[in-house]
Amino acid sequence: MKVFKFGGASVSNIERISRLPEILRSYPAEKLLVVISAMGKTTNALEKVVEAYYKGRQEEAFLLFRQVKETHLTMAKYLLVKNYLAAESRIRDFLTEIEWLLHDRPLREFDYYYDQVVCVGELLSTAIVSAYLNEMGIENKWVDVRDIIRTDDNFRDASIDWEHTQARVSSVIGPLFETADLVITQGFIGSTDENESTTLGREGSDYTAAVFANMLDAESQTIWKDVEGVMNADPKEFPDARLISELNYDEVIEMAYYGAQVIHPKTIKPLQNKGIPLYVKCFLDRSLPGTVIHNKSIKGLPPIIVLKMNQVLVKLHSRDFSFVGETHTAALYQLLASLKIKPNLIQSGAVTLQVCLDDKPDKIEKMALEAATIFNVQIEKGLTLLTIRHYLEETLQRLTTGKQVVLRQQSPETVQVLMK
Ligand code: ASP
Ligand code: MG
């Protein structure tokens, strides 16, 4: 059994979707569980729908939703002949559910509506791709992952109920493979015990695939991307970025932690726990070697560069010039935990604590307000956090030239500078 994940870019248009049969045919006589994301930028488009809806701009929400709807119906029409009607009816059911929701005024929190609306992206893409593959003679079963992946109700960042999900995987997915070689399902989404849809955090499909790999004891997981494999920097920002052909779990966790957009940070643990190798391969050219990620130790890695834009530095200065001690530090961590804020970097000094965060204005405002009861609070926005693993002084020099460094933190392996 192998688990594959195809990201949004690999199903973003007809030309790309029509590459899937060839890829899947090259794994004959294999049991494959395939996790697919929403097509292209659908998740972003759906986010705009929910925002408009929640802010009371209902007409705009409908208009934006209609675009998503048309795109998918058109896609289905192009790709399907024999299976068109069946697929269309499934697609329309998903769409109608959202349209009903958009008709009512929001009564609950934003994140709840976000998940109910955004989850449709994955449902639509998998319904279309599954019907298309069946039509191409690649028989498969489509599964609504919300019947399998059970989560808590922490909408937008839901946690998986491991025990319940494992039981569903064993009782539902296991038997499916007795009569099918290919099962197609959605990444990123799940459901609560009250059948409310949830999402696992942006880019969460990698994680879904890893959960399945773990629970099915898969021999490997492959993430199919539109890039060669894992690079040592984002090729859009750094044209001389190069492929890293071999990495280990620890390194990838570190990279993801520092914000590399390679693989969803939660992906590694389920794989590491069962020693399942992760391949990152290019669906545009299957013959490229890609990257393998496993448990072995690896020497001589190149500098790995991660840039995080839109950073905010929150400076907390103790009010009465008393030393920052365990009480102040504890208060800060409690505050971060209560607001569910993940700090990207924390530095403490004699009378100050400095925290670098992603710029989420509502959270930062809340944090600043609460922190102001203990500290004098200063906020600086518009910063960039540069992280280099296995850094060379020359790389650091090159990347910080002409910038003003406002904070620096360093260990033998990693250097981080916050700059503007
Ligand atoms: N469609 C979701 C997103 O764009 C999940 C994923 O692609 O992994 O974040
Ligand atoms: Mg994606």
Side-chain angles (χ1 to χ4, degrees):
M1 164 96 55
K2 291 186 164 78
V3 173
F4 284 180
K5 180 257 177 170
F6 289 96
S10 50
V11 290
S12 59
N13 59 40
I14 300 196
E15 188 268 326
R16 290 187 165 194
I17 294 174
S18 51
R19 288 171 184 271
L20 294 184
E22 193 224 316
I23 295 177
L24 296 172
R25 276 197 200 103
S26 64
Y27 295 85
E30 290 261 18
K31 302 277 183 202
L32 295 177
L33 180 109
V34 174
V35 167
I36 304 179
S37 298
M39 291 174 176
K41 301 275 174 236
T42 305
T43 306
N44 294 355
L46 290 167
E47 283 185 339
K48 299 233 159 66
V49 173
V50 207
E51 274 160 31
Y53 163 72
Y54 205 75
K55 291 193 174 138
R57 304 194 304 264
Q58 205 181 31
E59 220 167 288
E60 183 188 333
F62 271 109
L63 193 74
L64 291 168
F65 190 66
R66 197 172 314 136
Q67 286 165 9
V68 174
K69 178 173 166 173
E70 292 309 324
T71 312
H72 286 84
L73 286 169
T74 309
M75 196 77 101
K77 223 173 265 174
Y78 267 104
L79 287 165
L80 305 171
V81 183
K82 209 171 71 211
N83 291 339
Y84 178 72
L85 285 179
E88 194 214 50
S89 120
R90 181 179 269 169
I91 291 171
R92 286 206 188 270
D93 285 347
F94 295 138
L95 294 168
T96 308
E97 225 174 286
I98 307 300
E99 282 162 351
W100 280 347
L101 179 149
L102 296 180
H103 271 293
D104 293 331
R105 281 196 185 292
L107 298 168
R108 298 179 57 170
E109 77 275 23
F110 175 80
D111 290 354
Y112 164 79
Y113 291 102
Y114 178 101
D115 283 2
Q116 309 319 301
V117 172
V118 163
C119 73
V120 84
E122 268 66 15
L123 294 166
L124 295 173
S125 70
T126 52
I128 294 170
V129 170
S130 162
Y132 169 68
L133 291 172
N134 272 323
E135 195 156 309
M136 297 301 285
I138 300 177
E139 272 176 52
N140 67 87
K141 298 228 160 92
W142 179 90
V143 170
D144 186 333
V145 86
R146 296 173 301 175
D147 293 334
I148 311 290
I149 304 258
R150 164 74 61 84
T151 71
D152 63 9
D153 61 359
N154 184 19
F155 297 105
R156 279 184 88 176
D157 191 19
S159 294
I160 293 182
D161 173 341
W162 206 261
E163 224 169 284
H164 183 94
T165 302
Q166 174 74 71
R168 295 295 289 165
V169 167
S170 305
S171 65
V172 180
I173 305 291
L176 274 183
F177 276 113
E178 281 163 23
T179 54
D181 287 336
L182 178 60
V183 170
I184 305 254
T185 196
Q186 307 80 40
F188 175 56
I189 69 177
S191 136
T192 66
D193 57 0
E194 292 180 27
N195 285 327
E196 299 154 322
S197 300
T198 51
T199 64
L200 308 175
R202 286 301 307 264
E203 305 301 329
S205 297
D206 294 347
Y207 175 49
T208 305
V211 169
F212 277 115
N214 175 300
M215 293 186 176
L216 290 162
D217 285 310
E219 89 197 48
S220 66
Q221 172 176 337
T222 304
I223 297 180
W224 294 90
K225 283 179 162 287
D226 58 352
V227 292
E228 249 182 281
V230 178
M231 316 288 282
N232 75 325
D234 181 352
K236 281 176 222 132
E237 305 273 349
F238 302 93
D240 56 350
R242 56 186 155 127
L243 177 77
I244 311 175
S245 57
E246 201 182 2
L247 280 167
N248 60 26
Y249 300 130
D250 288 330
E251 188 63 37
V252 175
I253 287 188
E254 295 284 338
M255 287 170 74
Y257 171 78
Y258 290 116
Q261 304 273 318
V262 272
I263 290 156
H264 189 280
K266 287 186 192 164
T267 311
I268 296 302
K269 184 171 183 284
L271 300 176
Q272 189 276 338
N273 286 175
K274 290 219 170 152
I276 299 168
L278 172 62
Y279 297 94
V280 180
K281 283 189 66 83
C282 180
F283 69 87
L284 298 167
D285 184 354
R286 266 193 305 119
S287 68
L288 293 174
T291 300
V292 57
I293 298 155
H294 48 46
N295 226 353
K296 301 178 191 143
S297 77
I298 293 161
K299 295 237 158 61
L301 284 170
I304 295 174
I305 302 164
V306 184
L307 275 183
K308 253 180 175 259
M309 312 295 193
N310 291 328
Q311 298 296 295
V312 179
L313 180 65
V314 180
K315 283 188 210 168
L316 307 172
H317 193 290
S318 75
R319 274 193 177 280
D320 50 3
F321 260 79
S322 61
F323 278 128
V324 165
E326 59 282 10
T327 328
H328 290 96
T329 313
L332 168 65
Y333 276 94
Q334 257 155 23
L335 187 52
L336 293 172
S338 72
L339 292 170
K340 295 204 173 102
I341 297 178
K342 296 186 183 96
N344 296 327
L345 189 155
I346 294 183
Q347 190 154 301
S348 51
V351 289
T352 55
L353 286 166
Q354 304 195 74
V355 197
C356 168
L357 312 161
D358 292 337
D359 193 356
K360 294 186 180 140
D362 48 332
K363 289 209 172 184
I364 298 217
E365 198 177 312
K366 274 188 202 150
M367 177 182 164
L369 270 175
E370 288 200 32
T373 58
I374 318 173
F375 303 99
N376 287 323
V377 184
Q378 256 183 309
I379 292 180
E380 188 169 357
K381 293 201 174 208
L383 304 170
T384 299
L385 179 61
L386 164 70
T387 304
I388 314 177
R389 304 250 318 139
H390 321 289
Y391 61 93
L392 303 171
E393 209 45 54
E394 65 175 54
T395 321
L396 182 62
Q397 280 293 334
R398 184 161 53 87
L399 296 178
T400 51
T401 311
K403 311 271 192 220
Q404 189 188 333
V405 172
V406 295
L407 204 83
R408 175 172 170 146
Q409 211 165 72
Q410 172 167 11
S411 74
E413 277 296 297
T414 310
V415 61
Q416 292 193 284
V417 295
L418 189 61
M419 55 195 195
K420 61 178 172 192

